[in-house]
Amino acid sequence: MSEAPKGGSIQAVEFALEILEYVARCQTSVGVSEMARAFGTTKSRIHRHLQTLVAAGYLIRNGDTERYSISARLMALGQAVSESFEVATAARDIARELRDQTGHAVAISQPEREGNRILLIVPSRSNIEIHVKPGSILHFHSSAQGKISLAFGDRLLLPRILSEKLEMRTPYTITDPERLRTEVEAVRRQRWATAANEAMVGLNSLAAPIFDALGGYVGSIALTDSVQFIAETPTTDQVRNLLAAADKVSANLGFRPRK
């Protein structure tokens, strides 16, 4: 990334926060030269901001290696924020707006060991309700939300699922490992997934990923309805509205796309 020179107190604070985020994303200690190259600026400028962050207690400087890492204070702050601002909390209002915009039920889920757990459901406007219950687990290979986790979650998840027997939930469930791998690769490129009739005949979901402040995948937001209203190939409007909502939830969690 390149960063134009900034002046003024507000810009200085913004740049210090960018440095803090960079060190946190690296998940290891980082040197001044490396950061100077990453931001396209001088080592002396980076060093000034690092001194401020160390003095504030958010970074630790290793005197032997001259490298910097995040402090226990920053980790405690992050934990406190995460406990009071869960994915469901960040997504609640946006999920309701998406339901009002599309008419479909909206589901928020997060990945667990066995699949994606539904955290929040905003029912559709229809007189006939078609959705899964909060607390339900959706299998990785047979749900749109699960495919999102396979595409954007832990890199070891997909190999694990492909090595296991893929249970046939309906006649339409993908049980061939290579076919599932190909579909997940497509999901990763397009940033959305569907699973028409794969978990339950007549039901489909259109899901997109949610990212946190460090760019990590933390869950999904999905439109859910009958295949009559969300087809195997969703409409352009459905995809656009869903991706816009996913971006808003991610922004609420502090995510900022890299420029």
Side-chain angles (χ1 to χ4, degrees), residues 230-250:
I230 302 178
E232 184 174 359
T233 300
T235 67
T236 300
D237 284 346
Q238 287 171 334
V239 171
R240 182 176 64 248
N241 292 334
L242 177 71
L243 292 180
D247 288 342
K248 290 178 182 178
V249 178
S250 296

Side-chain angles (χ1 to χ4, degrees), residues 76-90 92 252-253:
L77 178 62
Q79 180 66 27
V81 171
S82 66
E83 289 176 353
S84 63
F85 202 62
E86 301 173 338
V87 173
T89 302
R92 192 177 305 276
N252 277 354
L253 290 170

Side-chain angles (χ1 to χ4, degrees), residues 55-58 70-78:
Y58 293 117
I70 61 173
S71 69
R73 180 180 183 183
L74 182 60
M75 288 187 285
L77 178 62

Side-chain angles (χ1 to χ4, degrees), residues 2-229:
S2 62
E3 192 267 342
K6 295 180 178 180
S9 58
I10 294 177
Q11 288 81 5
V13 170
E14 289 177 347
F15 189 45
L17 290 173
E18 289 176 7
I19 292 174
L20 190 61
E21 291 175 359
Y22 178 83
V23 176
R25 280 198 302 269
C26 288
Q27 298 184 335
T28 185
S29 60
V30 188
V32 175
S33 297
E34 177 183 341
M35 283 184 272
R37 288 193 298 271
F39 285 98
T41 190
T42 63
K43 290 192 290 185
S44 61
R45 182 165 178 246
I46 293 289
H47 190 261
R48 287 197 304 273
H49 290 288
L50 289 172
Q51 286 181 310
T52 299
L53 292 168
V54 169
Y58 293 117
L59 291 182
I60 298 173
R61 173 180 171 273
N62 185 314
D64 295 329
T65 63
E66 295 293 327
R67 296 176 70 83
Y68 296 80
S69 57
I70 61 173
S71 69
R73 180 180 183 183
L74 182 60
M75 288 187 285
L77 178 62
Q79 180 66 27
V81 171
S82 66
E83 289 176 353
S84 63
F85 202 62
E86 301 173 338
V87 173
T89 302
R92 192 177 305 276
D93 289 343
I94 296 165
R96 191 174 293 109
E97 291 172 3
L98 181 61
R99 185 277 311 275
D100 292 343
Q101 185 178 37
T102 65
H104 308 302
V106 178
I108 305 298
S109 69
Q110 68 180 17
E112 295 186 3
R113 166 88 185 163
E114 300 304 322
N116 270 47
R117 185 176 297 279
I118 299 297
L119 304 177
L120 171 71
I121 289 287
V122 179
S124 73
R125 292 295 192 187
S126 172
N127 291 327
I128 301 175
E129 285 300 323
I130 303 177
H131 60 70
V132 293
K133 295 180 180 179
S136 301
I137 287 284
L138 303 177
H139 295 282
F140 289 119
H141 73 291
S142 59
S143 68
Q145 293 92 327
K147 292 174 188 176
I148 290 292
S149 289
L150 294 176
F152 297 97
D154 187 334
R155 62 184 180 83
L156 298 179
L157 177 59
L158 179 59
R160 174 171 73 82
I161 297 302
L162 292 176
S163 70
E164 299 173 353
K165 179 178 174 58
L166 302 178
E167 180 184 357
M168 180 174 285
R169 310 283 298 178
T170 76
Y172 303 93
T173 304
I174 297 175
T175 57
D176 176 68
E178 285 309 309
R179 183 183 165 198
L180 180 60
R181 185 196 304 275
T182 299
E183 180 149 345
V184 169
E185 290 172 353
V187 169
R188 192 176 292 120
R189 291 192 300 271
Q190 66 197 17
R191 203 160 63 92
W192 54 266
T194 60
N197 300 305
E198 293 182 38
M200 179 184 296
V201 174
L203 182 69
N204 193 18
S205 288
L206 170 63
I210 298 169
F211 301 100
D212 64 14
L214 298 181
Y217 166 72
V218 293
S220 74
I221 181 170
L223 296 172
T224 301
D225 213 325
S226 73
V227 292
Q228 177 183 354
F229 299 112

